Amino acid sequence: MIRDLWHKNAVVYSLDVETFLDGNGDGCGDFEGLARRLDYLEALGVNAVWLAPFQPSPRRDDGYDITDYYGVDPRFGSSGDFVEFMREADSRGIRVLIDLVVNHTSIRHPWFRARRDWYVWSKKRPSNWKSGVVFPGVQQSTWSFDRRTRAYYFHRFYDFQPDLDMDNPRVREEVRRVMGYWIQLGVAGFRVDAVPFVLEKPPRGRGKSQIHFEYLEEFREFLQWRSGEAVLLGEANVTPQQTQPYFGGGDGLHMMFNFWVNQHLFLSLASHDARPLAAALRATRKLPPTAQWAHFLRNHDELDLGRLSTAERNLCFDEFGPEPSMQLYGRGIRRRPAPMLGDPRRLRLAYSLVLSLPGTPVLHYGDEIGMGEDLRLRERAAVRTPMQWSAERNGGFSTAETLVRPVVARGVYGFEHVNVEQQRRDPSSLLQWTARMIRLRKQCPEIGWGEWRTVPSGSSAILALEYSWRGNVIVCVHNLGDVAREARIRVGGGTLVNLIDDEEVPSGRAGVHRVAMEPYGYRWFRLGAVNQALAREPVG
């Protein structure tokens, strides 16, 4: 049983230790550097950080090719450094989520040779050996030949990442052991990588793959037994009709990234039409009481638009990634939000949207200052450049001559123009704005806990969401259009009090509130006086 549903009203910040801050001057980020920047994260206002894989790895896939699930890559420090970081985070009230990458290991993992039955093999090459690739144009197949065993092994991702056989009970036992190890060291849960593939029984020939959701419930039961407050945050890019089994009626994932809403959010931004986003929200609204969606604008991968129609995807490509170098795998865009959206008003609108959607917002490191990408880097590495702390050499990330990855140094998004130190001193900066909006989000638990509905606004460009919880009402209104419009909304009598600026909107005839919205404008209102929050109805 969960004792504390902390994830229902949290703000999560994702980062990679490798590119956050170099504490020892070797050109690679580490836990010593990350611990030094916990004060920054505390000031930003986030409740939790999600760490990309930091375990020992050849890092051919940014650490998602793990060779030891029970350690820390020496490049990032020692296990002692990790424990010290955890202590510092706990002292600031910041919870830590880590990646659980158990769909596959590195081909260099000792298990691949010593425990052959832990992987998926075929004596003959399956007829579908080239189907189901995740990285079209880069990945050639899903089955590869191993000369040593003279058999084919399955790999949903790259050929150096053989899939574990989750049908083997000893593999699932080992996964539980991995979870238990990190829970004992204090982590608050796991972002489960590639959930559908973890649960999948790989298809052979023309047969359909089977997904064993009972394995997910098995992991959940173990996790709650070890820690009643720990959570599983799943990565599953599936359609709304496929989502419910992943939550398992409250016995599966606690949270899941809402890729469906994310893709339709960008479609709405590209078309200046709020209706696709509103429809996506309604399509994914059904959840168990303790579950939650995780909403995001961008993450560390490509912006995946694969669930949109060809015409819709092309519209987004034309608007946000028109050049071939900006696109990836035929379905995605490898850019950060600031250069994609261009107009600072549009960027703030987009983040106001993410923070106000029904669920838990997840922010990608560097987006709070408007970092750009480096398209000279291959594939998804374009958005995984070092954090830009100052205008000093290497953006203040490291004093080394050679970096693990080059910092963005050219153009208007170079570290001399976009960095934390500069924006800290500017009250009108994106960083200061983001911190204020995070504080506002945390002051509106109605968004995380309440019942919600889309409210007719009188304009296809305007999205209005109403949240009700314990006798309180929050109303968030966003104009996705590039021209001024008036929103006409009916949310009951009384006055709408703006929580961002000095503005009050009384109700007019028939209880209609008329709100003047500038291009890319956004409003967060509380219905009634601001102190109405003090009069919340008791639970139960």
Side-chain angles (χ1 to χ4, degrees), residues 246-466:
Y246 289 93
F247 291 109
D251 294 322
L253 295 171
H254 300 80
M255 293 191 289
M256 189 159 72
F257 286 106
N258 199 325
F259 286 92
W260 187 261
V261 163
N262 177 257
Q263 296 182 44
H264 287 84
L265 188 157
F266 274 93
L267 175 58
S268 285
L269 289 172
S271 62
H272 304 286
D273 186 344
R275 289 174 295 183
L277 174 56
L281 288 169
R282 289 191 292 267
T284 57
R285 71 175 305 147
K286 186 179 179 182
L287 287 176
T290 58
Q292 186 81 296
W293 284 116
H295 290 295
F296 60 102
L297 190 62
R298 284 292 281 113
N299 58 23
H300 63 298
D301 290 326
E302 78 280 7
L303 169 60
D304 191 341
L305 303 170
R307 296 292 178 184
L308 302 181
S309 70
T310 300
E312 292 168 340
R313 188 162 52 252
N314 287 338
L315 175 62
C316 292
F317 280 159
D318 291 344
E319 184 74 10
F320 302 128
E323 299 176 17
S325 64
M326 299 173 177
Q327 301 169 16
L328 191 61
Y329 309 135
R331 63 168 186 255
I333 299 175
R334 60 192 205 106
R335 305 185 72 195
R336 278 188 179 258
M340 266 201 300
L341 297 173
D343 190 327
R345 299 173 302 169
R346 201 180 190 188
L347 181 64
R348 296 188 185 203
L349 164 82
Y351 270 108
S352 176
L353 262 173
V354 169
L355 287 165
S356 66
L357 293 179
T360 298
V362 181
L363 308 179
H364 185 217
Y365 82 95
D367 284 349
E368 73 274 17
I369 60 172
M371 277 177 53
E373 70 277 343
D374 186 347
L375 295 176
R376 296 173 301 170
L377 301 178
R378 65 178 182 83
E379 298 181 63
R380 296 165 295 173
V383 298
R384 301 177 180 181
T385 56
M387 183 67 177
Q388 296 167 198
W389 294 106
S390 71
E392 298 175 349
R393 182 169 168 271
N394 295 331
F397 164 72
S398 174
T399 58
E401 292 292 331
T402 303
L403 305 184
V404 65
R405 190 165 291 151
V407 67
V408 175
R410 299 179 178 180
V412 295
Y413 297 101
F415 66 83
E416 292 184 350
H417 307 291
V418 177
N419 62 71
V420 170
E421 184 178 300
Q422 180 190 66
Q423 295 193 22
R424 242 181 193 156
R425 299 195 298 265
D426 180 1
S428 64
S429 69
L430 180 62
L431 174 61
Q432 298 282 17
W433 177 88
T434 302
R436 290 194 297 271
M437 292 300 291
I438 290 174
R439 287 197 297 271
L440 176 59
R441 170 62 181 81
K442 292 164 72 174
Q443 292 166 15
C444 299
E446 292 83 358
I447 296 175
W449 287 97
E451 295 292 325
W452 65 271
R453 70 181 181 101
T454 55
V455 181
S457 65
S459 171
S460 62
I462 294 178
L463 177 71
L465 294 172
E466 175 191 287

Side-chain angles (χ1 to χ4, degrees), residues 15-257:
L15 63 91
D16 189 342
V17 177
E18 181 180 64
T19 53
F20 205 60
L21 183 69
D22 173 14
N24 61 9
D26 66 353
C28 179
D30 46 45
F31 278 108
E32 180 183 347
L34 177 54
R36 293 182 193 175
R37 286 294 183 258
L38 284 171
D39 287 338
Y40 168 78
L41 298 177
E42 182 181 23
L44 187 59
V46 299
N47 304 78
V49 295
W50 153 34
L51 305 182
F54 53 81
Q55 291 87 355
S57 162
R59 298 196 71 82
R60 295 179 65 185
D61 185 22
D62 273 352
Y64 284 88
D65 48 333
I66 292 173
T67 56
D68 178 9
Y69 286 100
Y70 298 101
V72 173
D73 194 304
R75 284 170 283 193
F76 307 144
S78 65
S79 295
D81 292 325
F82 174 80
V83 170
E84 180 62 19
F85 156 72
M86 291 295 298
R87 187 191 70 82
E88 293 284 352
D90 182 66
S91 71
R92 291 165 174 81
I94 297 176
R95 301 175 190 262
V96 178
L97 305 175
I98 69 171
D99 253 301
L100 183 67
V101 187
V102 292
N103 172 66
H104 54 260
T105 69
S106 167
I107 202 168
R108 299 185 189 177
H109 198 296
W111 294 347
F112 190 66
R113 295 303 179 202
R115 300 176 180 178
R116 186 174 181 274
D117 62 324
W118 284 28
Y119 295 84
V120 181
W121 295 91
S122 176
K123 292 183 178 180
K124 296 182 178 181
R125 186 175 69 181
S127 60
N128 63 341
W129 67 289
K130 284 193 173 183
S131 67
V133 297
V134 176
F135 306 126
V138 179
Q139 179 187 358
Q140 303 305 316
S141 68
T142 52
W143 290 88
S144 291
F145 186 69
D146 179 58
R147 293 182 178 179
R148 183 174 180 271
T149 58
R150 301 195 64 79
Y152 290 84
Y153 63 90
F154 181 72
H155 52 91
R156 178 59 76 177
F157 295 90
Y158 297 112
D159 60 2
F160 54 82
Q161 294 171 319
D163 275 29
L164 288 165
D165 183 3
M166 211 56 64
D167 286 347
N168 186 330
R170 296 191 64 185
V171 172
R172 300 199 303 277
E173 179 185 5
E174 189 68 20
V175 171
R176 295 193 297 271
R177 187 175 288 113
V178 169
M179 293 169 61
Y181 174 82
W182 293 105
I183 286 292
Q184 197 67 29
L185 291 181
V187 305
F190 304 91
R191 178 264 190 183
V192 189
D193 184 57
V195 180
F197 302 142
V198 173
L199 308 178
E200 173 192 57
K201 182 179 180 64
R204 298 172 189 266
R206 297 181 180 179
K208 287 187 177 181
S209 62
Q210 295 177 308
I211 299 182
H212 293 279
F213 292 103
E214 66 271 20
Y215 298 163
L216 193 57
E217 295 180 8
E218 188 179 303
F219 298 149
R220 164 74 177 257
E221 182 180 12
F222 172 83
L223 183 68
Q224 302 297 183
W225 176 62
R226 283 295 182 93
S227 173
E229 299 176 7
V231 299
L232 295 174
L233 168 58
E235 180 202 29
N237 187 353
V238 296
T239 64
Q241 296 77 19
Q242 298 170 313
T243 57
Q244 290 306 306
Y246 289 93
F247 291 109
D251 294 322
L253 295 171
H254 300 80
M255 293 191 289
M256 189 159 72
F257 286 106

